[in-house]
Amino acid sequence: MSCQTGITASTAFSAYLGSVAHHSDRCIKIVIEDEELVVQQNRLAVGDWEADWDRNVMVCIEDGEPCYIMYRLEKNGSGQYDYVFMSYVPNETSTKNKMLYAATRATLKRIWGDNRISVDFMATFPEELSLQGYKNHTLSESSQAPMTEAEKELEEVSKNEAVIRSQMSSHSATLPGLNLPIAQELETNLEKFKKGFVNYLQIKLDTEKEELKLWDCSNIQVGDLSEKIPEDEPRYHLFNFNHDFEGEKIWKVVFLYSCPGYNVPVKQRMMYSSTKSSFLSALESNGVEIAAKKEISDGNDVNEAEIFDMIHPQKHASRATFVKPKAPSRGGRRLIR
């Protein structure tokens, strides 16, 4: 079987799929070697699928080396095994291999059997392939409306194009719609932020180099946010607020622009102010959904209650409403005798 890349399943791989032996394997690592798909590792199931996950999947990862991983779940209602299909293509992979692995995903899915794959996702960081990373992915997917088959195909094409496009950029990338470049470290950590591995980023605009760069990346509590606000320089802040709302635990991203008054140089204030709108648009076009935005002057302007109300504005029943005035009176009725 082949696709536009010309990659085919090796003879050994085809034989493996045709045998019953692969049904007892929990985890199968597949790589591209000599323009063929080859099984590099296959690991037997020992416990249940959750207990087996990290000790099987994480050992398949090698620094800078892309691979595909098929992971067997339990039997479904039809008595067949479901599989999780993972494509691991780290950032340091060569451009050629990134394009090759992106373009061959659909071929491998057809060879394996699309109907046997219940979950399919791509990863660039090892932690995305951990059990927790898998659960983060499924949680994110479950919160979205179900897609039609046409929408799924379009999403698949878009994902592959995004992987290929990302390889055409230099070490310093530019966000769409934003003229200022971003440093590689910020680009990498924006991806981690989007995928839930960190919940706070602080971004500095370097006025000399005219670029955006990472200043702080961490996991914090909402009560610690005020301490992150600098007293002497402007900053952009992204905070993924984890909270309960109407009986559900949810995550919402808040964007803060902090600027500590007019003691900041005029050029710096103007650059932050004029860049903010396009930066927000670029973030949202790259998958960072902003639930609330606010400009603040210091840490006293932000707290948990304030953030909660920004995301979930209160509807006050006592709010004044417009009352239509009565029509002008022509006086009381007069009796006509």
Side-chain angles (χ1 to χ4, degrees):
M1 302 179 189
S2 64
C3 70
Q4 292 177 351
T5 61
I7 302 298
T8 61
S10 68
T11 303
F13 186 21
S14 298
Y16 173 77
L17 288 175
S19 70
V20 296
H22 78 273
H23 291 301
S24 59
D25 288 334
R26 174 70 75 191
C27 182
I28 303 98
K29 177 181 179 181
I30 302 159
V31 298
I32 299 175
E33 290 182 357
D34 299 325
E35 298 186 356
E36 290 185 326
L37 289 163
V38 176
V39 175
Q40 191 176 79
Q41 290 186 43
N42 53 304
R43 305 175 67 85
L44 293 172
V46 177
D48 62 38
W49 72 269
E50 288 196 15
D52 281 348
W53 187 287
D54 284 339
R55 64 185 174 217
N56 283 285
V57 173
M58 303 312 288
V59 298
C60 292
I61 301 170
E62 298 180 36
D63 290 342
E65 296 297 324
C67 68
Y68 303 116
I69 297 173
M70 290 289 183
Y71 190 84
R72 197 199 80 193
L73 302 176
E74 307 305 337
K75 288 185 177 180
N76 57 33
S78 303
Q80 302 297 317
Y81 287 117
D82 283 329
Y83 286 83
V84 178
F85 175 40
M86 294 167 272
S87 302
Y88 177 59
V89 183
N91 285 329
E92 59 268 34
T93 306
S94 68
T95 299
K96 176 183 176 181
N97 277 338
K98 284 183 176 180
M99 296 177 68
L100 189 61
Y101 272 80
T104 309
R105 291 177 72 252
T107 299
L108 177 54
K109 288 173 68 175
R110 286 196 298 270
I111 292 172
W112 193 268
D114 286 296
N115 61 328
R116 301 170 67 196
I117 297 171
S118 60
V119 180
D120 167 16
F121 69 98
M122 296 185 288
T124 53
F125 304 104
E127 54 263 41
E128 294 175 75
L129 298 180
S130 67
L131 179 60
Q132 187 57 54
Y134 165 73
K135 289 182 176 180
N136 288 345
H137 170 78
T138 54
L139 179 64
S140 173
E141 290 293 307
S142 65
S143 65
Q144 300 175 8
M147 294 187 291
T148 64
E149 287 302 315
E151 288 173 331
K152 289 179 181 178
E153 290 179 8
L154 182 60
E155 183 188 45
E156 180 76 14
V157 171
S158 298
K159 284 180 178 178
N160 290 340
E161 288 179 347
V163 171
I164 294 172
R165 281 198 309 271
S166 69
Q167 308 321 312
M168 303 307 169
S169 63
S170 64
H171 290 295
S172 179
T174 300
L175 287 170
L178 182 66
N179 292 327
L180 297 181
I182 65 171
Q184 179 65 44
E185 185 182 17
L186 175 55
E187 183 183 21
T188 299
N189 283 281
L190 276 170
E191 287 297 316
K192 289 188 175 183
F193 179 85
K194 281 165 44 178
K195 293 166 182 174
F197 294 107
V198 294
N199 71 354
Y200 174 75
L201 296 180
Q202 184 175 137
I203 299 102
K204 177 177 179 176
L205 195 161
D206 189 327
T207 56
E208 297 299 322
K209 295 183 178 179
E210 295 190 348
E211 69 173 3
L212 293 166
K213 64 183 184 182
L214 182 71
W215 191 258
D216 190 354
C217 172
S218 54
N219 280 298
I220 64 172
Q221 300 297 319
V222 64
D224 302 326
L225 187 56
S226 60
E227 299 177 4
K228 293 286 188 178
I229 310 302
E231 297 178 352
D232 56 350
E233 286 191 77
R235 290 284 193 277
Y236 298 137
H237 311 261
L238 287 170
F239 178 60
N240 199 355
F241 183 36
N242 178 3
H243 61 287
D244 294 319
F245 180 67
E246 296 183 347
E248 293 186 12
K249 185 172 287 294
I250 61 175
W251 292 260
K252 293 290 183 180
V253 176
V254 176
F255 175 88
L256 300 174
Y257 164 42
S258 64
C259 186
Y262 287 93
N263 57 330
V264 176
V266 174
K267 177 184 177 182
Q268 198 174 27
R269 283 205 317 270
M270 290 182 64
M271 287 191 69
Y272 269 91
S273 180
S274 60
T275 303
K276 177 173 66 70
S277 179
S278 55
F279 183 37
L280 282 167
S281 298
L283 287 171
E284 291 179 337
S285 70
N286 278 271
V288 180
E289 185 176 347
I290 309 294
K293 316 173 189 73
K294 186 179 182 181
E295 294 186 19
I296 60 175
S297 58
D298 58 49
N300 295 324
D301 294 338
V302 61
N303 56 54
E304 183 173 2
E306 177 76 14
I307 292 175
F308 189 93
D309 287 342
M310 287 163 56
I311 298 171
H312 310 289
Q314 298 294 316
K315 296 180 180 179
H316 300 291
S318 60
R319 184 171 54 187
T321 56
F322 177 75
V323 179
K324 182 179 180 181
K326 293 181 180 179
S329 174
R330 296 183 180 179
R333 291 185 177 181
R334 293 175 291 177
L335 292 175
I336 300 176
R337 297 182 182 275

